[in-house]
Amino acid sequence: MERTFIAIKPDGVQRGLISEIVNRFERKGYKLVAIKLIVPSKGFAEKHYHDLKERPFFNGLCDFLSSGPVLAMVWEGEGVIKYGRKLIGATDPQKSEPGTIRGDLGVVVGRNIIHGSDGPETAKDEIALWFEPKELV
Ligand code: ATP
Ligand code: MG
């Protein structure tokens, strides 16, 4: 069954949005197969966002991701990679539709609350980066 990596970033955890976000994925009908709270190191954040290393915001983004607890999760279900990104909304909360997580709960792109894998390959890579196989139920 299809799986995706979803992470609530330090801003979302700090603002107390964990239950709100988990609730949206649960109500949709997806199955939670792994979850843990971790403070990633800067090097780990750089690995997670390696595709963006040429972008001007890369350093600030990795500083931010490693600035506090992140709720790392794996969710399972039919079409969860693509539809999970729909629940999340557009990257920039100014452009996310109301009804999406970023649209309802966020304001600026540098504090956009949540991450979701953008395709099958990244989902596989990100799950392997953040979790040991035995952590997936
Ligand atoms: P994510 O990978 O976190 O789920 P995304 O796939 O919607 O987000 P990406 O293009 O992968 O967007 O960018 C990764 C993250 O980098 C964004 O979530 C955002 O926090 C940050 N980011 C993207 N563009 C900008 C920008 N122009 N300025 C500052 N930060 C940015
Ligand atoms: Mg992305």
Side-chain angles (χ1 to χ4, degrees), residues 7-28:
I8 303 179
K9 299 179 187 180
D11 55 330
V13 173
Q14 201 253 326
R15 288 176 56 203
L17 298 176
I18 289 174
S19 58
E20 162 83 36
I21 291 168
V22 167
N23 194 20
R24 291 183 184 217
F25 278 82
E26 280 189 324
R27 278 189 301 163
K28 173 67 182 167

Side-chain angles (χ1 to χ4, degrees), residues 86-134:
K86 248 178 160 164
L87 292 177
I88 289 170
T91 304
D92 181 352
Q94 300 283 338
K95 299 187 181 124
S96 318
E97 294 297 324
T100 65
I101 291 165
R102 288 170 176 161
D104 288 348
L105 307 171
V107 179
V108 293
V109 71
R111 297 288 184 275
N112 64 359
I113 307 163
I114 180 166
H115 163 83
S117 304
D118 62 12
E121 281 306 308
T122 46
K124 195 164 148 280
D125 292 350
E126 290 171 0
I127 291 168
L129 177 66
W130 288 79
F131 287 97
E132 308 270 353
K134 67 174 189 307

Side-chain angles (χ1 to χ4, degrees), residues 7-12 39-70 85 91-93 102 108-116 118 126 130:
I8 303 179
K9 299 179 187 180
D11 55 330
V39 182
S41 66
K42 175 115 186 246
F44 190 91
E46 287 168 351
K47 267 192 207 158
H48 171 75
Y49 278 129
H50 68 274
D51 282 350
L52 300 173
K53 65 173 175 293
E54 307 304 333
R55 307 295 289 276
F57 54 82
F58 179 71
N59 190 51
L61 176 63
C62 295
D63 274 336
F64 177 61
L65 193 72
S66 56
S67 69
V70 169
R85 298 224 353 141
T91 304
D92 181 352
R102 288 170 176 161
V108 293
V109 71
R111 297 288 184 275
N112 64 359
I113 307 163
I114 180 166
H115 163 83
D118 62 12
E126 290 171 0
W130 288 79

